[in-house]
Amino acid sequence: MAFEGLAQRLQGTLQKIKGKGKISEADVKEMMREVRFALIEADVNLKVVKEFVKTVSERAVGQDVMKSLTPGQQVVKIVKDELTNLMGGEQNPIQFARKSPTVIMMVGLQGAGKTTTTGKLATVLRKRHNKKPLLVAADIYRPAAIQQLETIGKQLTLPVFSLGTDVSPVEIVRQALEEAGKEHHDVVIIDTAGRLHVDEKLMQELKDIQTLSKPDEVFLVVDAMTGQDAVNVAKSFDELLGITGVVLTKLDGDTRGGAALSIRSVTQKPIKFVGMGEKMDALEPFHPERMASRILG
Ligand code: GDP
């Protein structure tokens, strides 16, 4: 399960001082060294680690902690607070358009889980928000991407708008928006093409789709298993496109979880959802505080 490694490291470290009646600055220093190791081991971005440790240290050597009857627990609380802050503090809900339809553009590299997440997100929107989504197959390059989305649509009994692979993605999106108007869909989710790497042609196409559809949300789908790469991908997409949120997939896998901790502070964009499996109901809203609790055990 994700985060187990990091959780164990941090727990071991924090357990040691939890029961201590008194702690010194040296104790805090030693503990912070361990926290730093634990975060680096979890593949958290180095700059993020440094800032995190600095903030926690500053708060931990503060008077209140030293004077407290349970200084260890105080430090644990500070670490938890700061982990929560690092991941954005509050849960970040979907931004709906004032005037329907809400347009959500899904972007990301190939294999990140974009098409799967499109289906999962539609499930969330229908179930929890009472929406009537239209899924748009705008990935005309990856063999079988359209078919994959159509299969998902059938499975969920949700309509999929597709014009095959011979029409340009921008034109597909244009017609899909028309269709959404006619059929009274209040959410349109566009499954765009991915590539193996960020490249200019892909970005231009995404920009064209963005200009035409004026999305309320641009969700970058990234694979948590790719660690620091996920953070770099998020940075590139954000710089070139201006994403509004991140969906971190495959958090059910054997990831060390560093991406969850770094993405927010590197991009300033919130993680909105996490993918916890391949099934259509395996998408959860991302709650920074809950995640921090999970990391600390
Ligand atoms: P795309 O190329 O970005 O559209 O990626 P796909 O949606 O085709 O997903 C690639 C693979 O990742 C598929 O086998 C999915 O089932 C799998 N996948 C997507 N999200 C998750 C997740 O949250 N957990 C796990 N375990 N697998 C996922």
Side-chain angles (χ1 to χ4, degrees):
M1 179 57 112
F3 286 115
E4 228 157 55
L6 177 58
Q8 269 168 9
R9 269 306 284 259
L10 286 180
Q11 264 179 49
T13 308
L14 297 171
Q15 267 326 318
K16 265 190 249 164
I17 56 126
K18 210 167 185 172
K20 273 200 174 183
K22 230 180 180 177
I23 53 171
S24 63
E25 219 171 305
D27 284 333
V28 172
K29 228 180 180 169
E30 186 188 328
M31 213 173 56
M32 287 309 119
R33 210 179 54 217
E34 292 288 329
V35 168
R36 194 169 65 224
F37 280 143
L39 294 175
I40 289 171
E41 235 177 50
D43 206 15
V44 178
N45 178 290
L46 204 58
K47 207 172 138 223
V48 175
V49 174
K50 276 190 185 153
E51 274 165 29
F52 180 83
V53 169
K54 189 165 163 258
T55 313
V56 174
S57 307
E58 274 167 15
R59 282 188 64 189
V61 296
Q63 285 297 315
D64 289 350
V65 175
M66 298 299 183
K67 276 190 199 151
S68 147
L69 288 174
T70 54
Q73 276 171 29
Q74 293 282 351
V75 175
V76 175
K77 187 178 175 302
I78 293 170
V79 173
K80 190 184 154 194
D81 281 357
E82 291 304 329
L83 277 176
T84 307
N85 285 341
L86 190 62
M87 292 183 284
E90 304 274 302
Q91 203 267 321
N92 240 286
I94 299 174
Q95 295 297 317
F96 290 105
R98 280 208 202 105
K99 197 170 156 274
S100 274
T102 295
V103 177
I104 302 177
M105 211 177 139
M106 308 297 285
V107 301
L109 296 184
Q110 199 167 306
K114 221 176 322 104
T115 306
T116 312
T117 306
T118 299
K120 288 177 178 176
L121 189 61
T123 308
V124 168
L125 286 163
R126 183 169 60 182
K127 233 187 189 162
R128 297 203 202 128
H129 301 272
N130 234 346
K131 300 285 184 193
K132 191 187 164 203
L134 176 66
L135 312 186
V136 183
D139 179 358
I140 61 168
Y141 309 105
R142 180 164 66 95
I146 294 178
Q147 213 176 8
Q148 189 188 346
L149 193 65
E150 279 171 348
T151 305
I152 286 172
K154 268 202 198 98
Q155 188 191 333
L156 299 172
T157 51
L158 279 173
V160 172
F161 186 89
S162 124
L163 295 174
T165 53
D166 296 334
V167 181
S168 79
V170 176
E171 180 58 21
I172 294 172
V173 171
R174 198 187 63 73
Q175 293 195 30
L177 291 173
E178 261 177 35
E179 168 89 359
K182 266 188 243 154
E183 299 295 322
H184 306 290
H185 289 283
D186 44 16
V187 181
V188 175
I189 312 178
I190 307 167
D191 183 25
T192 66
R195 293 269 204 284
L196 291 176
H197 305 282
V198 176
D199 73 51
E200 225 169 276
K201 194 161 168 271
L202 168 69
M203 286 302 163
Q204 191 52 52
E205 180 178 302
L206 296 178
K207 270 196 166 150
D208 293 344
I209 294 176
Q210 188 178 31
T211 307
L212 178 97
S213 66
K214 300 185 185 62
D216 302 282
E217 293 275 22
V218 179
F219 284 161
L220 173 70
V221 180
V222 282
D223 179 342
M225 311 261 277
T226 59
Q228 303 241 22
D229 270 350
V231 180
N232 294 332
V233 166
K235 217 171 154 214
S236 312
F237 270 82
D238 191 37
E239 277 165 10
L240 292 163
L241 217 59
I243 60 173
T244 61
V246 173
V247 180
L248 201 56
T249 62
K250 309 184 196 181
L251 215 58
D252 53 307
D254 191 21
T255 161
R256 288 176 293 166
L261 289 174
S262 310
I263 277 185
R264 173 67 188 232
S265 51
V266 171
T267 63
Q268 299 298 317
K269 297 295 161 68
I271 297 174
K272 293 212 177 184
F273 291 93
V274 287
M276 300 298 296
E278 295 189 78
K279 295 219 180 94
M280 280 300 128
D281 60 358
L283 188 73
E284 298 175 6
F286 180 72
H287 292 281
E289 200 194 329
R290 279 187 218 163
M291 191 62 89
S293 297
R294 220 173 97 191
I295 291 171
L296 290 179

